[in-house]
Amino acid sequence: MPWQIVIGLETHAQLSTRSKMFSGSSTAFGAEPNRQASAVDIALPGVLPVANRGAVERAIRFGLAVGGSIRRRSVFARKNYFYPDLPKGYQISQYELPIIEGGALLIPAADGERSIPLTRAHLEEDAGKSLHEDFQGATGIDLNRAGTPLLEIVTEPALTSAEEAVSYARALHALLRWIDVCDGNMQEGSFRCDANVSVRRNASDPLGTRCEIKNLNSFRFLEQAIRHEARRQIELIEDGGRVRQETRLYDPDRDETRPMRSKEDAHDYRYFPDPDLLPLEVTPDWVESVRAQMPELPAAMRSRLAGELGLAAYDAAILTGSRELARYFEAIASRLPGNAKLAANWVMGEILGRLNREGLEIGACPVDAARLAGLLARVADGTVSGKTAKEVLDALWSGTETADEVIQARGLTQISDSGELEVIIDGILAQNPAQVAEFRGGKQKVFGFFVGAAMKATRGKGNPAQVNALLRRKLGADA
Ligand code: ADP
Ligand code: MG
């Protein structure tokens, strides 16, 4: 049965402001409970919220990055519900008039790119946290997180598989970090997704009833939760049942979703404009001044790397995975005119491989762009072979010298002097008359023996192309 899975994601991104959405207290993670909760955050009577300009600016940056429309006038609303970590009894959010509407996010797809349409992105505040550990028969409340600015980014129900949802979430995560609006730290809860999932028998049927799986804070959980929820719904319907609209939780230990509460409808929240806050006005001048400070966006950089430098689309996508990586690559490529592919191969292979093995981010790479470019210049001009260059990279990785210093000190210069190589090869042929005869008698495989002997005699420093050419000539293989 060709079931279609339909997914809409709501992502909560904590904005990287130093202070909260409506108060001056710090948003730093990890403080002692309730040390960063001001009178506004704990909702003492008579306090007044003041919107954080930096948070609004970050929302504008996002709107520009996804090509959404930025409302000149948006309105903060109260979303009323009771929960112990929400002392006001309501969350300040945006409802009817969100700051950003529309726009789209490009994600990689099998045949290039796919554009995922966004519904909206609105500003709101985070809630506090309930603490269940360390308390016997009681729950602790930590309001440090209460009031942290959030941008909630909502997609249309346009994603059609768990993998596609993950690929969207990864692209969004990378974009938010790229434009410096969210630190993306998923362990600390800076980036959390709610997945709305429904199924239908045919893509042309109306949308099925959805369930919403809350607070998925890793890409792996997001993927597993969607898979399981879709399978649960399909089995339920095939068994003659009906999906009930509800909010569910994913339990990674048992790899299943289970009901948390029946899903409220918007009218249950009794939304209304917050009388304590003026409508938010974003003038065209403000938008233009934010636009003037935007970095080049990843999609634009990808097509530039493919166009100007001739990189494959796949390579360009990897190298624009983060702004730091893209900057690193560009700093190397600009020092190696005409050798962008060499630079791309080394960054994607050796550098990312080593960083990955050591659990390091590109920002902590022990070999900076200048030193790597110095090494690659020696590969490009034939001073060292690719193999020797890896040995030099080992030295750069653990030391502070330049590639030229390492090559000099260790005498690693490739022997490209054909006179010198000729003497070595003549010696090898003279010492191995039996193998020479075998080769001349038609045994092609013996050629590898001579190459090996030549590389050994030069301690790996013979220029491989020249060694090959000389051997072929001397053995009469070209004739
Ligand atoms: P809320 O969950 O806060 O009530 P919405 O009703 O606007 O908000 O929907 C939230 C998300 O659910 C959006 O990403 C939307 O695309 C998605 N969604 C809506 N209907 C469906 C459906 N039938 N199947 C899958 N996703 C859906
Ligand atoms: Mg929702």
Side-chain angles (χ1 to χ4, degrees), residues 10 12 79 152 154 194 196 210 212 214 247 263 269:
E10 296 164 273
H12 291 93
K79 180 180 184 181
E152 177 173 337
V154 184
D194 299 344
N196 294 268
R210 72 185 149 121
E212 180 176 12
K214 280 280 185 200
T247 301
K263 174 98 181 87
Y269 289 116

Side-chain angles (χ1 to χ4, degrees), residues 119-177:
T119 313
R120 55 190 269 150
H122 63 255
L123 284 163
E124 60 182 30
E125 57 177 347
D126 212 340
K129 271 184 194 165
S130 297
L131 307 174
H132 304 290
E133 285 161 30
D134 305 333
F135 295 96
Q136 276 285 320
T139 293
I141 301 294
D142 175 10
L143 295 173
N144 282 348
R145 196 179 70 176
T148 297
L150 295 177
L151 188 65
E152 177 173 337
I153 302 148
V154 184
T155 73
E156 290 289 294
L159 298 155
T160 55
S161 70
E163 301 81 69
E164 194 173 62
V166 169
S167 141
Y168 163 83
R170 285 188 186 280
L172 179 61
H173 184 257
L175 179 66
L176 290 168
R177 295 194 359 148

Side-chain angles (χ1 to χ4, degrees), residues 39 66 83 88 142 153 157 180 271 292 297 315 362 373 376 403 412 477:
V66 296
Y83 207 72
K88 289 201 295 292
D142 175 10
I153 302 148
D180 284 328
Y271 280 99
L297 294 172
D315 295 0
I362 185 71
L376 298 185
L412 294 173

Side-chain angles (χ1 to χ4, degrees), residues 437-457:
E438 275 181 40
F439 183 81
R440 294 208 166 118
K443 210 168 166 195
Q444 297 288 323
K445 272 199 272 177
V446 188
F447 194 76
F449 162 82
F450 293 115
V451 174
M455 293 314 275
K456 196 167 162 208

Side-chain angles (χ1 to χ4, degrees), residues 141-293:
I141 301 294
D142 175 10
L143 295 173
N144 282 348
R145 196 179 70 176
T148 297
L150 295 177
L151 188 65
E152 177 173 337
I153 302 148
V154 184
T155 73
E156 290 289 294
L159 298 155
T160 55
S161 70
E163 301 81 69
E164 194 173 62
V166 169
S167 141
Y168 163 83
R170 285 188 186 280
L172 179 61
H173 184 257
L175 179 66
L176 290 168
R177 295 194 359 148
W178 188 287
I179 60 175
D180 284 328
V181 305
C182 169
D183 69 19
N185 189 323
M186 295 174 84
Q187 281 88 45
E188 294 180 3
S190 300
F191 183 93
R192 296 128 41 193
C193 293
D194 299 344
N196 294 268
V197 180
S198 66
V199 299
R200 54 184 170 183
R201 287 187 192 266
N202 292 296
S204 53
D205 293 347
L207 289 176
T209 303
R210 72 185 149 121
C211 286
E212 180 176 12
I213 314 158
K214 280 280 185 200
N215 270 327
L216 298 159
N217 66 351
S218 87
F219 297 123
R220 194 161 57 90
F221 292 167
L222 176 64
E223 180 165 354
Q224 290 172 355
I226 293 171
R227 273 232 176 84
H228 281 261
E229 179 55 20
R231 189 175 312 143
R232 185 188 71 84
Q233 293 182 13
I234 292 170
E235 282 171 8
L236 188 66
I237 299 171
E238 287 187 337
D239 289 347
R242 282 179 61 163
V243 175
R244 286 196 323 153
Q245 178 167 320
E246 62 190 0
T247 301
R248 298 177 71 89
L249 275 185
Y250 175 66
D251 179 347
D253 295 328
R254 302 167 71 171
D255 202 11
E256 63 177 28
T257 66
R258 57 171 177 269
M260 182 160 104
R261 55 173 190 251
S262 75
K263 174 98 181 87
E264 312 72 12
D265 283 315
H267 63 248
D268 296 325
Y269 289 116
R270 298 291 187 273
Y271 280 99
F272 65 89
D274 191 319
D276 288 344
L277 284 155
L278 290 169
L280 178 61
E281 225 209 316
V282 177
T283 61
D285 281 354
W286 192 6
V287 174
E288 286 323 304
S289 75
V290 174
R291 194 195 306 274
Q293 292 158 25

